[in-house]
């Protein structure tokens, strides 16, 4: 245990034959603060979004170059405001337009072939756009191509990319109620052309599910800690489960198949084995029961969800209530001394991912032997 690795960290011995492992394939030092990383669909390229030291925005496009340095910078653009988040979720696989939110509150849509001027440029929030998600644009799913943004102003707004001047739905604090910082948003339950829901997580621990068909709050929970991320296990199915990650070393999985009229969704809370904020949990596109949990100390943790023997029971009044399963840690690896701020699984290559951290390094990572889970 006294031997030091090439980055000054002590290597941890792993049994490479037992099951899934997390391997760091390539590192790429960058001169920016990295806030988001996204694979460009149906390609071996990815986008890095962030901020230069002078608080301007940086958009970088990289490609995998396995014969030389591993990762090659293809294009770098500087914009007026720092980028906070991005998604390809509302764009078709042919167009692959990138939607971004920035620190000045603007929602923008970019054609990466001609990125000099945005295709869409609207003032979405009064301050930072903390989070963004997209639905309806890619290889599967239903409904219109839409974006959802969450901001420091406490508002959640839904946008149709075909109507670029105003949101199609707004969920904001009631008059006289203090606005809570919305830190995360996610689409889900989009299993036909009418149904679609939005999850939103706030800095006071509130988790709200908005029903876009009825325009109402479908359910509210409070997880007693600031919500760093929310995500459904799949967007394009009748909602099955979703995960909420929090500030103090914990995340909560909600069973979303059965909603009790008074208690809402059943849930299970998992404490991670590190004392750090849980920045996110990202479900594997090819297996919704597997997710990568992102630690604030630079640790990646691979979990698998196990369903209970019985997903629905009746309470003492005969009302159906859901039963949550358990989360099992199957592999972990520390890759940085700083928080893992972003993670994106490749939609095309199972186990391949790109992540960004606050040590100004972008990493290409591979989770192996996922077929053993």
């Amino acid at each position: 245990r006294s031997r030091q690795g090439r980055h000054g960290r002590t290597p941890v011995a792993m049994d490479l034959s037992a099951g899934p492992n997390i391997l760091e394939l390539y590192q790429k030092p960058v001169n920016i603060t990295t806030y988001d990383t996204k694979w460009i669909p149906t390609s071996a390229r990815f986008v890095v979004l962030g901020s230069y030291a002078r608080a301007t925005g940086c958009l970088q496009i990289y490609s995998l170059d396995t014969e030389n340095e591993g990762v090659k910078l293809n294009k770098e653009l500087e914009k007026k405001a720092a980028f906070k988040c991005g998604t390809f979720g509302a764009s078709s696989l042919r167009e692959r337009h990138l939607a971004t939110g920035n620190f000045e509150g603007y929602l923008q849509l970019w054609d990466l072939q001609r990125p000099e001027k945005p295709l869409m440029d609207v003032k979405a929030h009064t301050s930072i756009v903390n989070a963004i998600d997209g639905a309806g644009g890619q290889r599967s799913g239903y409904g219109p191509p839409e974006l959802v943004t969450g901001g420091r102003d406490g508002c959640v707004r839904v946008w149709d990319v075909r109507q670029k001047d105003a949101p199609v739905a707004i969920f904001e604090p009631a008059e006289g109620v203090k606005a809570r910082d919305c830190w995360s948003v996610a689409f889900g339950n989009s299993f036909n052309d009418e149904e679609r829901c939005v999850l939103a997580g706030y800095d006071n621990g509130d988790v709200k599910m908005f029903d876009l068909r009825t325009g109402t709050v479908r359910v509210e929970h409070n997880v007693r800690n600031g919500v760093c991320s929310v995500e459904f296990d799949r967007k394009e199915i009748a909602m099955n489960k979703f995960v909420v990650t929090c500030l103090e070393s914990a995340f909560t999985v909600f069973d979303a198949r059965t909603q009790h009229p008074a208690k809402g969704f059943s849930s299970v809370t998992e404490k991670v084995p590190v004392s750090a904020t849980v920045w996110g949990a990202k479900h594997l596109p090819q297996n919704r029961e597997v997710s990568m949990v992102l630690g604030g100390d630079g640790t990646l943790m691979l979990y698998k969800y196990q369903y209970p023997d019985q997903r629905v029971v009746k309470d003492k009044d005969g009302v159906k209530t859901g039963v949550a399963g358990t989360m099992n840690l199957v592999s972990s690896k520390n890759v940085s001394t700083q928080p893992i701020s972003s993670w994106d699984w490749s939609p095309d290559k199972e186990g391949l991912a790109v992540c960004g951290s606050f040590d100004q390094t972008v990493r290409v990572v591979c989770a192996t032997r996922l077929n053993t889970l």
Side-chain angles (χ1 to χ4, degrees), residues 166-243:
V168 295
I170 302 174
F171 302 97
E172 55 190 0
E175 189 173 345
V177 176
K178 181 184 177 183
R180 305 302 312 202
D181 200 336
C182 179
W183 282 353
S184 185
V185 290
F187 278 121
N189 203 44
S190 186
F191 62 93
N192 61 33
D193 287 336
E194 287 77 39
E195 296 287 343
R196 186 171 286 172
C197 288
V198 168
L199 275 176
Y202 298 83
D203 66 343
N204 65 339
D206 282 347
V207 179
K208 299 182 181 183
M209 182 184 291
F210 303 109
D211 190 320
L212 296 185
R213 182 174 61 83
T214 62
T216 59
V217 178
R218 182 164 178 167
V219 69
E220 291 185 66
H221 288 276
N222 187 283
V223 292
R224 288 177 277 200
N225 259 311
V227 176
C228 299
S229 80
V230 293
E231 188 177 85
F232 285 97
D233 60 356
R234 286 287 182 274
K235 296 179 186 179
E236 69 279 0
I237 63 172
M239 56 183 171
N240 178 56
K241 66 179 185 296
F242 60 91
V243 62

Side-chain angles (χ1 to χ4, degrees), residues 3 12 21 26 31 40 45 52 74 83 93 113 139 160 170 172 177 190 269 279 325 339 342 346-347 352 356 359 363:
R3 184 167 57 90
V12 177
N21 282 295
Y26 309 114
N31 61 343
I40 300 175
R45 298 180 297 152
Y52 292 108
N74 301 124
F83 291 107
L93 294 178
Q113 302 299 319
R139 56 168 60 90
D160 189 320
I170 302 174
E172 55 190 0
V177 176
S190 186
T269 296
W279 279 73
S342 63
S346 168
L352 187 65
D359 62 358
R363 293 172 172 85

